């Protein structure tokens, strides 16, 4: 199998797993969002620690201890992903799956906006158009909801900020997830201990299946991230960007078709504007990638004319 085809399989696997998360998190009730988050953190640490031990790659912790700026960045990444995980779990289990899907639809636009605000990147005209249409969509949805879609915006900005920090850190997927989860593990264990002491804990008190599903949260967190890392190493960024919409499309489908959440005309219009912005954004990304590839090829031919085929 070619690396490109393998990359597509990894990418589709990651985004399909993420797309099924609403169904999985619904099964974890009656545990509350904070208890689910705590178990997700604790079992992620356990799962990835076993994985790293099997890979004999625990030694990276010693090098991290000598890099305080990286440790500070990991702390920021942990806080952002913890906020993202909690917001998503809360949204799913408060019957707002459609709004969580909106968050991941607008996430690419938020990443572009953060690039302008934080990295001082310059946008192409089509990217400005996409951002403008996205802002109009948020305004329409604000009118529909009667308030800002804060759940969707929190998801988009927390994951966008997390992506920005991760890009600067440059840590491999498994090692990064282990350290980020480890940062959150102590407060997570303390919270679970408090729940146990007060008798409000759901773990072990609902059913054996429910307990197993909570333990499975570690693997459910780590496996799609590792698949995504495998895809990112093999696919062009434009290809990875296009298949990322598999996740929110599935989430939207579960919200409307399975959980029967409302989709009034104004909300549908807001989503339509988001999709229009994403079409503009994706088309511009594909066009820019093609032009860049042609420019690199032309530059290579100029610097190495002997590489041209010789007529016979």
């Amino acid at each position: 199998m070619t690396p490109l085809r393998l990359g597509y399989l990894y990418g589709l696997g990651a985004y399909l797993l993420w797309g099924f998360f609403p169904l999985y998190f619904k099964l974890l009730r009656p545990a509350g969002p904070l208890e689910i988050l705590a178990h997700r953190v604790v079992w992620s640490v356990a799962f990835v620690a076993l994985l790293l031990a099997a890979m004999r790659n625990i030694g990276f912790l010693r090098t991290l201890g000598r890099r305080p700026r990286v440790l500070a960045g990991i702390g920021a990444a942990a806080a952002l992903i913890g906020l993202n995980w909690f917001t998503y779990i809360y949204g799913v289990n408060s019957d707002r799956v459609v709004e969580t899907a909106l968050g991941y639809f607008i996430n690419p636009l938020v990443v572009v906006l953060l690039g302008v605000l934080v990295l001082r990147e310059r946008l192409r005209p089509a990217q400005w158009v996409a951002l403008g249409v996205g802002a109009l969509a948020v305004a329409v949805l604000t009118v529909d909801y009667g308030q800002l879609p804060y759940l969707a915006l929190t998801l988009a900005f927390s994951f966008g900020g997390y992506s920005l920090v991760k890009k600067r850190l440059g840590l491999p997927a498994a090692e990064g997830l282990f350290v980020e989860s480890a940062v959150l593990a102590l407060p997570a264990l303390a919270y679970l201990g408090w729940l146990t002491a007060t008798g409000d804990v759901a773990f072990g008190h609902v059913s054996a299946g429910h307990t197993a599903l909570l333990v499975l949260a570690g693997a459910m967190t780590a496996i799609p991230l590792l698949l995504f890392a495998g895809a990112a190493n093999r696919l062009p960024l434009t290809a990875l960007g296009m298949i990322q919409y598999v996740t929110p499309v599935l989430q939207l489908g579960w919200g409307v078709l399975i959980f029967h959440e409302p989709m009034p005309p104004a909300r549908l219009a807001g989503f339509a504007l988001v999709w229009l912005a994403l079409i503009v954004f994706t088309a511009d990304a594909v066009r820019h990638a093609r032009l860049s590839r042609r420019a690199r090829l032309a530059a290579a031919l100029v610097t190495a004319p002997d590489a041209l085929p010789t007529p016979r």
Side-chain angles (χ1 to χ4, degrees), residues 12 26 51 55 72 111 118-119 123 152 167 177 185 207-208 232 246 254:
L12 282 172
K26 289 278 190 183
L51 186 64
M55 296 164 58
V111 170
V118 179
L119 302 179
L123 297 188
K167 180 178 176 63
L177 177 62
S207 68
V246 168
W254 304 135

Side-chain angles (χ1 to χ4, degrees), residues 26-42:
K26 289 278 190 183
L27 296 174
L28 300 184
R29 295 187 295 189
L34 273 177
E35 183 179 355
I36 295 171
L37 173 64
H39 280 288
R40 188 174 185 182
V41 168
V42 169

Side-chain angles (χ1 to χ4, degrees), residues 96-106 155 248 251-252 271:
R96 296 166 71 179
V97 174
V98 168
E99 193 174 347
T100 65
L102 173 64
Y104 289 108
F105 272 125
I106 66 176
L155 284 171
Q251 292 172 348
L252 181 63
F271 269 86

Side-chain angles (χ1 to χ4, degrees), residues 64-196:
L64 279 181
R66 297 190 293 269
R67 301 169 67 188
R69 291 185 65 182
V70 174
L71 288 174
I74 289 171
L80 286 166
I81 199 61
L83 173 63
N84 182 270
W85 287 352
F86 172 76
T87 304
Y88 185 78
I89 295 165
Y90 172 78
V92 168
N93 285 342
S94 59
D95 301 320
R96 296 166 71 179
V97 174
V98 168
E99 193 174 347
T100 65
L102 173 64
Y104 289 108
F105 272 125
I106 66 176
N107 179 67
L109 303 176
V110 167
V111 170
V112 171
L113 180 62
L114 289 175
V116 174
L117 298 178
V118 179
L119 302 179
R120 304 298 181 188
E121 294 179 353
R122 299 182 66 179
L123 297 188
R124 298 182 294 273
Q127 291 175 313
W128 280 116
V129 170
L131 280 179
V133 175
L136 178 60
V138 171
V140 170
L141 289 165
T142 298
V143 173
D144 173 64
Y145 282 109
Q147 60 183 8
L148 275 173
Y150 67 88
L151 201 75
L153 293 174
T154 301
L155 284 171
F157 275 93
S158 60
F159 196 75
Y162 173 75
S163 302
L164 181 64
V165 174
K166 291 283 283 185
K167 180 178 176 63
R168 290 188 162 183
L169 290 175
L171 292 175
E175 289 85 341
L177 177 62
F178 175 78
V179 181
E180 291 155 14
S181 299
V183 169
L184 299 171
L186 281 179
L189 285 169
Y191 180 72
L192 290 175
W194 179 79
L195 282 181
T196 302

